[in-house]
Amino acid sequence: MQLLFFTAVFTSIAEIATFCSVGFMLCRGWNTTFAEAVSYAVVTTLMLLSLLFQMAMVSGLHGLLTVVEIVLLAVSAGFLWRRRSQFGRESAAFFTFWKANPLAVSAIALGLVYMVALALSIPPDAAGCKQLNQIVYLRDNGIWAAPAASHGMPAFFPFNHAALAYMFLRFDTDVGVNLFGLMAYVSIAGSTYALARRYAWPPTALTVSLIVLSMPRMVYQATTPGGEIVPVAVGLFCLLAVYRIVERLNINELLLLVVGIAFAVSGEKAELIFPTLVLVLAWVLLVRRHGSVTLLSLVSGHKARTLAAILPLLLFSQVWLVAINVAHGNDWLGSQAAFGPFYNQDGLQGALANAVRYTLESIHLTLPAELFCSRVLGFSPIELLQWLYGLLPGYLDGTAGATEPFAITWAPGGSQSWFGPFGFLLIFPAMVYAILRGPRRLKAVAVALTGYCYLVSLVYAWSPGNARLFSLFFGCAGFSTAFLLPPWRLSLRGKRVLQIMCIILFFYALTCNTARPLFRMGTPAANTGFRLFE
């Protein structure tokens, strides 16, 4: 039995690697850079797998899925064999970059090796268990059955990203599901570097990538099923596609962008905010650059490709899922009532109070800094921030817009971890600078991301653990730091110091990514999962 699980898990991993390799090779043929191809390859692979698994769960034709996968793998293997000479050239390009930046690339490579082992050896986190429970239910009962109350699902919530776990859960094991978070992490690295290169030379772009990759919450989410970090990777993928389409109109990337925005739909109602903002942002920038007539004529001139994009577009939009929820008499998107206890019921006053709370929480100097200051310097940064919060007017420092009294916790890992010191010290100033002095595209992105923060503050009530709502902001805004750090502001020595600080923060976050409670799929009777490394 153990050999069967071992074979199933590593065959699935090989399948993922094959599809990513094909995507990388295809994207390199679109005149993309190495980093752009990495980002595109990972996200398109995630979209392909989600499409296949959702089709299997909706239709109930699980056996047909296996046939389709075998055919796709055979075609992919043939494609890679024909392109085998390209592997040498791509490997040489990567190692040339490694030799030019030995410290940073070696640190990240070493960390990734450890993260792969960690992703395969620890159970999914609590948030991941919630989405995995739904996939186990769908695997056993089908999409047309109303969710049982015992599973804690009053209705089906969008499972564009959760469906990925079906690759391993169909074999009655949760080993491997954490790899999707790691795939998203790699895609974020590629997207951030590619976008940062629009505004900086390679050393600065690499430094900016390290700033994002070293964020403690990003490191933690990289070894989860990806419910929080996959949307960040998809959001950056969409921003990168917008940039590339503005620079060079292309039907393939235009259709990928539209499908990618639909794929960004996840979670509950309020999490529709980001895909909506990206859709508006993409439309404004592309129409301003190319004109609506040109875009529509491009789509109509490639009818076959457009028709091929309709199926994933409809499936990822989750409109059909809304229809099923309504037919069962459930909430339309599987979330709480529109004005439930976790939503801000104090309007603009609550939004302003929440914005202050989130700003103070974002000053995340990490727990070692708190311990050093408390025991060596004699003062607590957390207590200082709480004291500053207490100085605010009564209508801000109370419980307006919150579920409980405000308290700052610099948790070393898990649901309450934030994004490290550079989120506040660099990314916030970069957003302000981009809005004031940035070029048109960067300014539009900064305005959209700032609007996202405002809407999050307005819609959600503050509660501990709401850092999950800001992963999209910090992940997608990180590349803007490249515009803030030109050579005349940050010397080569300054970049090296900043890289070393990021590497230290990166390994600190890795050491805090400790074991989690064991995963239980549905009821105890359904707990047939097997872990290789227990």
Side-chain angles (χ1 to χ4, degrees):
M1 182 62 71
Q2 292 187 8
L3 179 62
L4 178 62
F5 279 115
F6 184 88
T7 304
V9 168
F10 283 94
T11 299
S12 299
I13 293 173
E15 180 179 347
I16 293 172
T18 300
F19 289 152
C20 285
S21 300
V22 171
F24 178 82
M25 296 298 185
L26 287 173
C27 292
R28 286 293 270 168
W30 293 355
N31 196 30
T32 60
T33 65
F34 192 99
E36 290 170 343
V38 167
S39 172
Y40 273 29
V42 171
V43 175
T44 52
T45 298
L46 295 177
M47 290 195 289
L48 173 63
L49 294 174
S50 180
L51 177 66
L52 293 176
F53 299 150
Q54 288 192 59
M55 290 174 63
M57 286 186 283
V58 171
S59 65
L61 302 175
H62 300 276
L64 181 60
L65 169 64
T66 303
V67 175
V68 172
E69 285 183 280
I70 292 173
V71 172
L72 286 176
L73 278 172
V75 173
S76 299
F79 174 83
L80 293 177
W81 176 255
R82 291 192 299 272
R83 296 287 190 94
R84 60 188 182 279
S85 61
Q86 188 176 343
F87 279 103
R89 295 193 297 272
E90 302 298 348
S91 299
F94 174 75
F95 283 109
T96 298
F97 182 77
W98 192 331
K99 290 178 182 178
N101 306 276
L103 176 63
V105 178
S106 297
I108 294 299
L110 181 62
L112 285 175
V113 171
Y114 175 72
M115 291 164 83
V116 170
L118 200 62
L120 290 172
S121 60
I122 61 176
D125 62 350
C129 291
K130 178 182 177 182
Q131 61 180 345
L132 298 186
N133 279 335
Q134 174 168 262
I135 302 305
V136 171
Y137 181 85
L138 293 173
R139 179 198 68 186
D140 296 338
N141 301 281
I143 190 68
W144 306 108
S150 62
H151 289 265
M153 294 180 293
F156 292 120
F157 53 83
F159 57 94
N160 281 332
H161 308 149
L164 296 167
Y166 179 82
M167 168 159 273
F168 299 96
L169 294 180
R170 59 182 166 176
F171 303 119
D172 287 327
T173 178
D174 62 330
V175 175
V177 296
N178 290 330
L179 291 174
F180 295 112
L182 191 55
M183 290 174 66
Y185 186 78
V186 173
S187 178
I188 289 169
S191 297
T192 300
Y193 183 85
L195 288 167
R197 280 289 286 117
R198 264 76 179 171
Y199 304 102
W201 294 107
T204 302
L206 179 60
T207 304
V208 169
S209 300
L210 281 174
I211 291 172
V212 175
L213 294 179
S214 65
M215 292 179 181
R217 191 172 187 88
M218 291 295 179
V219 175
Y220 177 83
Q221 289 298 320
T223 52
T224 67
E228 183 178 322
I229 195 172
V230 169
V232 179
V234 177
L236 273 170
F237 164 84
C238 292
L239 292 180
L240 179 59
V242 169
Y243 267 74
R244 283 185 51 82
I245 296 168
V246 167
E247 295 161 357
R248 178 176 175 271
L249 191 57
N250 181 289
I251 184 61
N252 295 326
E253 294 182 76
L254 181 61
L255 293 177
L256 271 179
L257 170 62
V258 176
V259 173
I261 293 174
F263 186 62
V265 174
S266 66
E268 52 185 304
K269 292 188 188 80
E271 293 181 35
L272 294 175
I273 293 173
F274 190 80
T276 304
L277 285 175
V278 172
L279 180 62
V280 174
L281 174 68
W283 177 255
V284 170
L285 289 177
L286 295 182
V287 169
R288 190 180 184 92
R289 177 66 177 86
H290 300 293
S292 57
V293 175
T294 302
L295 294 174
L296 294 175
S297 63
L298 179 66
V299 172
S300 61
H302 295 83
K303 292 184 176 60
R305 299 183 192 184
T306 303
L307 289 173
I310 289 177
L311 177 60
L313 180 61
L314 290 176
L315 202 62
F316 291 154
S317 70
Q318 307 288 279
V319 173
W320 56 275
L321 189 64
V322 172
I324 293 175
N325 283 333
V326 173
H328 287 155
N330 292 319
D331 191 66
W332 65 280
L333 206 56
S335 52
Q336 301 289 335
F339 298 98
F342 298 104
Y343 289 80
N344 171 29
Q345 302 181 47
D346 297 305
L348 294 177
Q349 178 182 335
L352 181 58
N354 286 336
V356 172
R357 295 179 184 116
Y358 292 133
T359 301
L360 292 175
E361 278 192 299
S362 69
I363 308 175
H364 179 210
L365 303 182
T366 71
L367 190 58
E370 165 69 16
L371 296 176
F372 175 81
C373 291
S374 298
R375 297 178 181 179
V376 178
L377 303 182
F379 80 97
S380 167
I382 291 179
E383 291 180 2
L384 177 61
L385 294 174
Q386 292 281 172
W387 177 76
L388 291 174
Y389 179 72
L391 295 179
L392 296 172
Y395 64 89
L396 290 182
D397 68 357
T399 57
T403 60
E404 58 186 88
F406 175 69
I408 296 175
T409 303
W410 288 349
S415 62
Q416 295 187 16
S417 177
W418 271 71
F419 301 90
F422 300 120
F424 178 81
L425 297 175
L426 292 176
I427 294 181
F428 276 179
M431 285 283 96
V432 174
Y433 189 66
I435 292 174
L436 297 177
R437 303 290 298 275
R440 184 176 297 164
R441 270 173 284 170
L442 183 60
K443 183 175 295 187
V445 171
V447 169
L449 291 174
T450 303
Y452 171 79
C453 290
Y454 167 74
L455 290 174
V456 166
S457 301
L458 178 66
V459 172
Y460 278 98
W462 180 89
S463 65
N466 271 12
R468 64 186 176 85
L469 304 174
F470 290 88
S471 291
L472 280 164
F473 171 78
F474 284 100
C476 294
F479 79 92
S480 65
T481 310
F483 184 69
L484 183 71
L485 300 176
W488 55 89
R489 287 201 185 97
L490 189 66
S491 64
L492 186 60
R493 177 178 295 179
K495 291 185 182 70
R496 182 61 58 87
V497 171
L498 187 54
Q499 287 181 10
I500 292 173
M501 294 172 65
C502 289
I503 291 170
I504 294 172
L505 182 62
F506 173 65
F507 283 106
Y508 160 76
L510 279 179
T511 60
C512 294
N513 197 354
T514 54
R516 304 164 186 152
L518 291 179
F519 172 47
R520 292 293 179 264
M521 299 189 294
T523 62
N527 183 29
T528 55
F530 172 79
R531 299 204 62 79
L532 292 173
F533 296 92
E534 284 185 337

